[in-house]
Amino acid sequence: MRKKSSSKIAKCLCGGIKIKIIGKLRHVINCHCSQCMKTHGNFAAYTNSLEDNITYISKSTLKWYNSSNFAKRGFCSKCGASIFYKIKKSDTISISAGMFSNPTKLKTHSNIFTKNKLDYYKLDPKLPKFSK
């Protein structure tokens, strides 16, 4: 499910990575996989966009980590913000929803990889959940 959007600005804590996104953003999916838990310190809340719809205003501190054979994660080498999740052969990129300022006009759509969820928090029972 994609949400209609004009342009949005997103940036990391220090501003070393700042992007402008034109076009549609997918509603937010919370990922509870072990990799997201380790890189975010909690579950990750990601929206998604076509990669061609992103313009980098600044990216001097952007670094990529190959987190598996098929995906990589983008982060800020200065402030440590976890920003992107990218399946290497995909034309889309997931963007941490916390990089945007209000109003985002995004809604949380579902939870994925819930089998890895830790015991200190509860899922919203109104949202769909998927073990993978």
Side-chain angles (χ1 to χ4, degrees), residues 53-120:
N53 290 349
I54 296 175
T55 302
Y56 287 90
I57 298 166
S58 62
K59 64 175 184 176
S60 61
T61 59
L62 177 60
K63 300 293 180 195
W64 289 95
Y65 172 69
N66 288 310
S67 56
S68 70
N69 290 335
F70 63 89
K72 61 184 182 175
R73 295 171 183 273
F75 65 96
C76 177
S77 64
K78 184 174 181 183
C79 69
S82 180
I83 300 162
F84 298 117
Y85 174 80
K86 168 80 176 148
I87 295 174
K88 293 177 183 176
K89 295 184 180 187
S90 175
D91 61 351
T92 64
I93 189 166
S94 293
I95 306 158
S96 291
M99 297 227 349
F100 298 92
S101 298
N102 278 324
T104 67
K105 298 183 180 175
L106 296 169
K107 304 285 184 214
T108 304
H109 182 262
S110 61
N111 289 287
I112 60 173
F113 291 98
T114 57
K115 66 181 179 181
N116 299 100
K117 178 194 152 319
L118 295 177
D119 61 358
Y120 66 87

Side-chain angles (χ1 to χ4, degrees), residues 12 29 49 56-57:
C12 68
I29 293 176
S49 171
Y56 287 90
I57 298 166

Side-chain angles (χ1 to χ4, degrees), residues 18-22 51-58:
K18 187 174 182 181
I19 58 175
K20 179 179 179 180
I21 302 137
I22 297 173
E51 196 163 13
D52 287 345
N53 290 349
I54 296 175
T55 302
Y56 287 90
I57 298 166
S58 62

Side-chain angles (χ1 to χ4, degrees), residues 14-43:
C14 71
I17 301 166
K18 187 174 182 181
I19 58 175
K20 179 179 179 180
I21 302 137
I22 297 173
K24 297 177 183 179
L25 291 172
R26 184 198 67 210
H27 281 298
V28 174
I29 293 176
N30 295 332
C31 183
H32 304 268
C33 79
S34 61
Q35 287 190 7
C36 281
M37 296 294 280
K38 300 294 183 200
T39 58
H40 287 266
N42 201 4
F43 64 87

